[in-house]
């Protein structure tokens, strides 16, 4: 396999595909925040029954495998009604929504912790919610590769498409390696950013 | 009054002569001529559709109006292989023609409701349909399912498609055959999207009727990029008439079809419409053979093709399942369909899926725990090369989305071993174990380092203590491994999600099927969460005792 071919065609396609992964992840995270924060509030401020109910729902969301939820949405709840309008979920939206149970459960857990910190008079402790959500975002980016299974043209689809045309394992490994590097760089930068945020907040917490 | 009796006698004598001539006819042409003559005698009281048509009524033919090359409508005119056959039939019978638009859902009911006399609308001849209408023999065309893919991709036969994803339409009867050859299926509702998904490279391979792809291969840009790799699941196409009141019409069409094959009429029409002619060329050779070119050729098993039998063997309890579905709908108002319990192949896929899922989850949990210990030990090692190597592997695994890690594991596995269920499960367990074990191992190593800084313990005692300290992370990644198992279906591991996707590709009841899969996996993961709670307590107990 010629490296020139990789740089000329494959890498730009992969970067374009990865943009879809980030698009999916941003939607999933925003929807997760929208669903998860009320559950966090319910678990923290609610009465015994509402706390129990919220805990059950969050446990179910935590247990639902993204891959299965994605196929469930694709085959069972493809068309949704919103204010009387029938909307058909696109592939990107289907994957994003399938990641919402994870994202919402994570937000609810991190949110409860943040509220506890806030209640204990530690706003900086509560701010640890931000690096936690950053971590969730990168987990979602990696999980969004599941979209390849339903034909959404994202990063993993590009890697698979390119590798399918190559005859030898060696050539395929080059394609896979480029994929890992391109997915890995933003992930590692993001995780480093998260660790820096945590360190900064921790330092200020100690200082406070 | 005196003249009417001789006239009637004359007509009866003519009919008798025609019947006698038909019985004596040696060739299909003579038999057809005699049959038409006889039918024309019954214009005063027609009892068969052939008599009605020959006595002035138009021949109402149900045709498709959006099936490129076979039946479309352009500026109000029906064009394509089938309308041209319809015109050839009408010409030969000397009757008027009336085209009626039908589709796959309406073509048989319209025949039963006497809104059309003949269906000529891309209809495959199956044993199930034999009970609904009378098929004309010989068949006028034969389609097959073809696998289409990029020219650059080397695909020769079934051996080359194992573990590859093929884009198909839901309900296509040939899907079961692809599943049995270990192909992964990506399902679409409409065939019309398949060429576009090939062009935008969402699908590397697509399988559909060759008559469907025939049109797209007339487009030079499509033909330059894609080709038919191989075909399978041949289905003969038949014209159909109503089972009652059409005996003579059916007989006339049987004879006409024989003649059209023998004389190359079908072939000439096919060439004119640019469709594949391999089948028609074969048929012409068959119907020119003396043993087939007879008045009884259309019933001679050596000349005609059998109907395709698509019926899947039912399970011993299929009737109970159907009764339960009916009861649920009647009493509870819940419409459930359980295709995985009704046919033997589907039930076998379902059972294997459940067993494989449990094996996969158990394997993924064991591998995650084992790799957590290995990576934890290596990352916390005092020996730098081991630590750096472990760090490099962990970073690589963290940077690879789980789906990609699964694909890489499968690529290695298939390079070393031929595809089998065991290989696919093994590769999946390895990938899930490495990814989650790597992350959990990192947590263990961080615990090892923190315990190092605190001083005191060393060696195995310190490591056991570190396992206890990182119990929360280990448990979190064990749960993650269990949750990740459905992704193994992506590389062809026949776990429940993959198995039921295969079942739903050739049967109905997708909604119930995927609801069941979701409930099954959620319950299994919750059991894993509960079991991991015990493990966490045990590990934390080791921390205290250490």
């Amino acid at each position: 396999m010629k490296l020139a071919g990789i740089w000329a065609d494959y890498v730009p396609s992969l970067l374009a595909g990865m943009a879809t992964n980030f698009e999916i992840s941003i939607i999933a995270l925003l929807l997760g925040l929208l669903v998860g924060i009320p559950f966090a509030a319910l678990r923290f401020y609610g009465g015994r029954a509402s706390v129990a109910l919220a805990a059950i729902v969050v446990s179910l969301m935590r247990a639902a495998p993204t891959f299965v939820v994605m196929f469930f949405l694709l085959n069972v709840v493809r068309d949704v009604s919103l204010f009387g309008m029938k909307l058909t979920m696109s592939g990107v939206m289907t994957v994003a929504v399938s990641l919402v149970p994870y994202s919402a459960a994570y937000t609810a857990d991190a949110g409860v912790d943040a509220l506890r910190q806030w209640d204990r008079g530690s706003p900086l402790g509560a701010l640890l919610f931000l690096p936690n959500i950053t971590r969730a975002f990168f987990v979602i980016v990696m999980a969004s590769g599941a979209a390849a299974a339903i034909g959404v043209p994202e990063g993993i689809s590009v890697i698979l498409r390119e590798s399918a045309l190559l005859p030898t394992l060696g050539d395929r490994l080059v394609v896979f390696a480029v994929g890992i590097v391109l997915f890995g760089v933003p992930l590692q930068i993001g995780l480093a950013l998260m660790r820096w945020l945590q360190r900064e907040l921790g330092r200020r917490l100690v200082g406070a | 009054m005196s003249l009417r009796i001789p006239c009637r006698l004359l007509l009866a004598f003519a009919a008798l002569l025609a019947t006698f001539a038909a019985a004596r006819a040696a060739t299909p042409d003579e038999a057809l001529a005699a049959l038409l003559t006889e039918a024309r005698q019954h214009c005063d009281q027609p009892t068969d559709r052939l008599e009605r048509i020959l006595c002035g009524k138009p021949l109402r033919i149900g045709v498709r109006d959006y099936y490129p090359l076979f039946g479309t409508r352009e500026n109000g005119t029906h064009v394509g292989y089938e309308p041209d056959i319809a015109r050839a039939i009408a010409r030969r019978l000397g009757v008027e023609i009336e085209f009626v638009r039908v589709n796959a859902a309406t073509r048989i009911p319209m025949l039963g409701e006497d809104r059309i006399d003949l269906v000529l609308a891309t209809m495959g001849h199956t044993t199930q349909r034999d009970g609904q209408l009378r098929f004309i023999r010989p068949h006028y065309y034969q389609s097959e399912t073809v696998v289409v893919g990029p020219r650059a991709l080397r695909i020769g036969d079934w051996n080359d498609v194992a573990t590859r994803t093929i884009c198909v339409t839901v309900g296509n009867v040939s899907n079961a055959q692809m599943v049995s050859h270990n192909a992964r299926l990506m399902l679409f509702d409409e065939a019309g999207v398949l060429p576009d998904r090939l062009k935008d490279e969402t699908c590397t391979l697509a399988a559909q009727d060759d008559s469907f792809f025939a049109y797209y291969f007339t487009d030079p840009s499509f033909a330059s990029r894609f080709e038919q790799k191989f075909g399978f699941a041949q289905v003969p196409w038949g014209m159909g008439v109503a089972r009652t009141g059409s005996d003579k019409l059916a007989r006339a069409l049987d004879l006409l079809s024989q003649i059209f094959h023998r004389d190359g009429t079908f072939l000439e029409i096919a060439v004119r419409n640019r469709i594949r002619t391999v089948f028609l060329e074969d048929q012409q050779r068959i119907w020119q053979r003396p043993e087939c070119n007879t008045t009884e050729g259309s019933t001679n098993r050596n000349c005609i093709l059998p109907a395709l039998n698509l019926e899947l063997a039912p399970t011993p309890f299929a009737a109970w399942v159907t009764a339960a579905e009916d009861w649920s709908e009647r009493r509870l108002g819940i419409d459930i369909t359980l295709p995985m319990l009704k046919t033997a192949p589907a039930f076998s896929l379902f059972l294997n899926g459940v067993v494989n899922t449990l094996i996969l989850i158990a394997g993924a949990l064991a591998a995650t725990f084992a790799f957590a210990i290995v990576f934890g030990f290596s990352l916390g090692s005092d020996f730098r090369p081991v630590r750096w190597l472990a760090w490099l592997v962990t970073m690589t695994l963290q940077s690879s989305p789980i789906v990609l890690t699964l694909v890489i594991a499968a690529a290695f596995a298939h390079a070393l071993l031929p595809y089998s269920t065991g290989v696919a499960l093994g590769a999946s367990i390895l990938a899930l174990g490495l990814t989650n074990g790597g992350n959990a191992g990192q947590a263990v190593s961080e615990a090892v380092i923190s315990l190092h800084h605190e001083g005191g313990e060393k060696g195995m005692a310190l490591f056991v203590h570190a396992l206890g300290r990182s119990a929360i992370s280990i448990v979190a990644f064990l749960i993650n491994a269990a949750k990740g198992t459905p992704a193994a279906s992506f590389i062809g591991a026949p776990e429940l999600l993959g198995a039921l996707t295969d079942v739903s590709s050739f049967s109905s009841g997708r909604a119930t099927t995927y609801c069941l899969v979701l409930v099954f996996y959620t319950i299994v993961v919750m059991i894993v969460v509960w079991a991991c709670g015990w493990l966490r307590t045990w590990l934390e107990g080791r921390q205290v005792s250490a």
Side-chain angles (χ1 to χ4, degrees):
Chain A
M1 186 184 191
K2 286 178 184 165
L3 278 174
I6 289 185
W7 294 115
D9 181 34
Y10 171 49
V11 171
S13 304
L14 180 52
L15 290 173
M18 281 176 63
T20 307
N21 289 88
F22 279 90
E23 182 190 343
I24 290 168
S25 307
I26 290 166
I27 298 169
L29 189 71
L30 291 177
L31 290 175
L33 287 168
L34 208 68
V35 177
I37 288 173
F39 275 109
L42 206 61
R43 280 167 70 185
F44 191 73
Y45 296 114
R48 194 178 285 179
S50 53
V51 168
L53 181 73
I56 290 169
V57 174
V58 171
S59 307
L60 286 172
M61 289 197 293
R62 213 183 283 126
T66 300
F67 220 76
V68 177
V69 176
M70 185 175 75
F71 275 89
F72 174 80
L73 291 172
L74 188 72
N75 291 284
V76 183
V77 242
R78 193 161 203 184
D79 301 319
V80 287
S81 252
L82 196 68
F83 305 117
M85 281 193 305
K86 196 178 174 190
L87 302 173
T88 301
M89 274 202 278
S90 66
V92 166
M93 203 60 192
T94 302
V95 185
V97 174
S98 72
L99 287 159
V100 169
Y102 165 78
S103 160
Y106 193 95
T107 303
D109 290 340
V112 168
D113 276 345
L115 288 169
R116 277 196 197 116
Q117 295 291 341
W118 183 270
D119 200 48
R120 284 177 197 152
S122 172
L124 284 172
L127 274 177
L128 282 172
F129 181 72
L130 293 178
N132 284 335
I133 290 300
T134 312
R135 182 197 289 271
F137 175 73
F138 283 101
V139 170
I140 293 170
V141 171
M142 301 308 258
S144 65
I150 60 164
V152 175
E154 47 65 72
I156 301 294
S157 307
V158 175
I159 296 171
L160 297 180
R161 189 177 73 210
E162 200 73 24
S163 68
L165 298 172
L166 300 172
T168 68
L169 179 63
D171 286 347
R172 285 183 206 166
L173 287 179
V174 174
V175 168
F176 295 148
V178 173
I180 291 173
V181 169
L182 290 189
F183 266 99
V185 167
L187 174 85
Q188 297 302 339
I189 290 172
L191 291 179
L193 182 75
M194 187 204 69
R195 280 193 289 269
W196 175 81
L197 254 174
Q198 271 178 327
R199 238 190 343 262
E200 273 301 295
L201 287 169
R203 200 165 51 78
R204 287 186 193 186
L205 267 171
V206 173
Chain B
M1 190 75 175
S2 59
L3 274 175
R4 282 173 86 179
I5 293 171
C7 271
R8 282 190 178 174
L9 278 173
L10 203 62
L11 277 172
F13 182 67
L16 195 69
L17 270 182
T19 311
F20 184 63
R24 285 197 54 191
T27 66
D29 311 67
E30 290 168 4
L32 178 65
L35 178 65
L36 298 182
T37 307
E38 190 270 337
R40 285 194 184 97
Q41 312 305 318
H42 298 94
C43 284
D44 50 343
Q45 276 187 323
T47 55
D48 191 279
R49 286 184 177 82
L50 179 65
E51 295 163 355
R52 203 166 68 187
I53 293 157
L54 292 174
C55 299
K57 295 280 183 189
L59 172 59
R60 299 164 302 168
I61 303 185
V63 289
R64 306 289 292 258
D65 72 352
Y66 189 66
Y67 205 100
L69 303 183
F70 288 84
T72 53
R73 199 165 181 182
E74 290 171 15
N75 303 323
T77 306
H78 288 272
V79 294
Y81 179 59
E82 289 171 340
D84 283 353
I85 290 176
R87 289 188 187 97
I89 291 170
R91 233 181 351 259
R92 187 66 187 247
L93 297 179
V95 298
E96 289 294 312
I97 201 166
E98 182 186 317
F99 285 116
V100 181
R101 190 185 125 199
V102 296
N103 59 35
T106 61
R107 57 193 172 189
I108 296 176
M110 285 176 80
L111 202 58
E113 292 160 12
D114 196 23
R115 289 158 65 189
I116 51 177
D117 302 306
L118 171 68
V119 178
L120 186 46
T122 67
M123 185 165 60
H125 183 182
T126 62
T127 50
Q128 289 93 325
R129 286 181 182 150
D130 265 335
Q132 300 171 302
L133 70 161
R134 154 76 152 86
F135 274 94
I136 304 305
R137 310 290 262 280
H139 302 102
Y140 68 93
Y141 196 68
Q142 179 176 267
S143 68
E144 62 179 0
T145 301
V146 287
V147 176
V148 172
R151 287 181 175 274
L153 189 64
R154 271 177 280 174
I155 298 280
D157 55 24
W158 287 119
N159 293 324
D160 300 323
V161 299
T163 77
R164 284 189 185 274
T165 300
I166 304 178
C167 294
V168 299
T169 48
V170 175
N172 194 326
V173 290
S174 60
N175 289 348
Q177 204 168 334
M178 284 182 262
V179 167
S180 71
H181 287 92
N182 304 311
R184 292 194 311 272
L185 304 183
M186 192 184 285
L187 306 180
F188 290 86
D189 288 324
E190 293 289 335
V193 302
L194 294 180
D196 291 334
R197 296 292 82 82
L198 279 170
K199 283 190 233 169
D200 69 18
E201 299 179 324
T202 301
C203 301
T204 306
L205 294 171
Q208 190 59 224
D209 211 284
D210 63 346
S211 61
F212 168 80
F213 273 120
Y215 169 71
Y216 294 93
F217 278 111
T218 60
D219 171 10
S221 70
F222 188 86
S224 68
R225 284 180 64 190
F226 304 102
E227 64 180 0
Q228 291 188 8
K229 300 297 181 185
F230 65 93
F232 62 100
Q234 283 79 16
V235 187
W237 288 14
M239 298 178 233
V241 298
R243 285 183 69 82
T244 53
S246 295
D247 291 348
K248 289 180 185 174
L249 177 61
R251 174 71 180 140
L253 291 169
D254 281 343
L255 293 164
L256 254 183
S257 295
Q258 277 185 251
I259 295 165
F260 280 2
H261 271 306
R262 184 200 63 200
D263 295 350
T265 308
F266 283 141
L267 186 59
E268 184 266 320
I269 296 172
V271 170
R272 203 192 316 146
N273 284 284
R274 296 175 297 156
I275 61 170
R276 275 163 64 89
T277 56
V278 180
F279 167 76
L280 296 171
E281 287 162 18
D282 285 346
Q283 286 290 299
Q284 187 178 27
R285 279 190 287 275
I286 289 169
W287 293 99
Q288 283 176 344
R289 289 201 317 239
E291 65 170 306
C292 299
N293 187 30
T294 67
T295 55
E296 299 309 316
S298 63
T299 54
N300 185 340
R301 289 184 182 279
N302 294 324
C303 306
I304 57 170
L305 293 169
L308 184 68
N309 188 354
L310 299 171
E311 279 181 66
L312 300 170
T315 54
F317 43 86
W320 296 344
V321 176
T322 307
E325 288 172 352
D326 292 343
W327 181 87
S328 163
E329 189 167 10
R330 215 174 40 249
R331 293 292 175 92
L332 308 175
I334 302 170
D335 181 14
I336 57 165
T337 313
L338 302 164
M340 72 293 290
L341 303 179
K342 289 203 267 192
T343 62
F347 186 60
S348 166
L349 281 169
F350 173 63
L351 268 192
N352 289 335
V354 172
V355 171
N356 289 332
T357 298
L358 298 178
I359 291 171
L360 190 58
I361 289 177
L365 292 176
T368 299
F369 194 71
F371 281 120
I373 291 170
V374 170
F375 279 106
F377 194 80
S378 309
L379 287 165
S381 167
D382 291 331
F383 188 49
R384 277 187 185 178
V386 170
R387 201 166 65 228
W388 287 348
L389 183 67
W391 177 83
L392 189 70
V393 174
T394 309
M395 284 280 286
T396 308
L397 288 168
Q398 276 180 349
S399 302
S400 173
I402 183 63
V403 173
L404 183 57
T405 309
L406 281 162
V407 169
I408 295 170
F412 272 109
H414 298 319
L416 299 171
L417 301 159
Y419 174 85
S420 71
T421 300
V423 169
L425 287 176
S428 308
I429 288 170
L430 191 71
L432 290 164
L434 276 169
T435 301
N436 293 290
N439 285 313
Q442 202 172 32
V444 174
S445 74
E446 281 163 9
V448 167
I449 292 163
S450 69
L451 286 168
H452 254 308
H453 289 314
E454 288 170 19
E457 292 160 320
K458 281 196 171 149
M460 192 50 76
L462 179 137
F463 192 71
V464 171
H465 195 162
L467 281 180
R469 184 169 279 192
S470 54
I472 293 175
S473 296
I474 293 173
V475 162
F477 285 108
L478 284 172
I479 294 167
N480 210 33
K483 277 179 72 176
T485 51
S489 63
F490 194 72
I491 59 164
E495 49 66 70
L496 192 64
L497 176 65
L500 290 185
T501 297
D502 291 344
V503 170
S504 66
S505 74
F506 58 84
S507 56
S508 56
R510 274 198 291 169
T512 315
T513 301
Y514 285 99
C515 285
L516 278 179
V517 179
L518 184 62
V519 170
F520 173 85
Y521 268 105
T522 305
I523 290 172
V524 168
V525 173
M526 290 186 93
I527 291 170
V528 171
V529 170
W530 173 79
C532 282
W534 285 92
L535 178 72
R536 186 178 146 186
T537 309
W538 181 76
L539 283 173
E540 286 172 347
R542 303 285 294 175
Q543 182 187 3
V544 172
S545 60

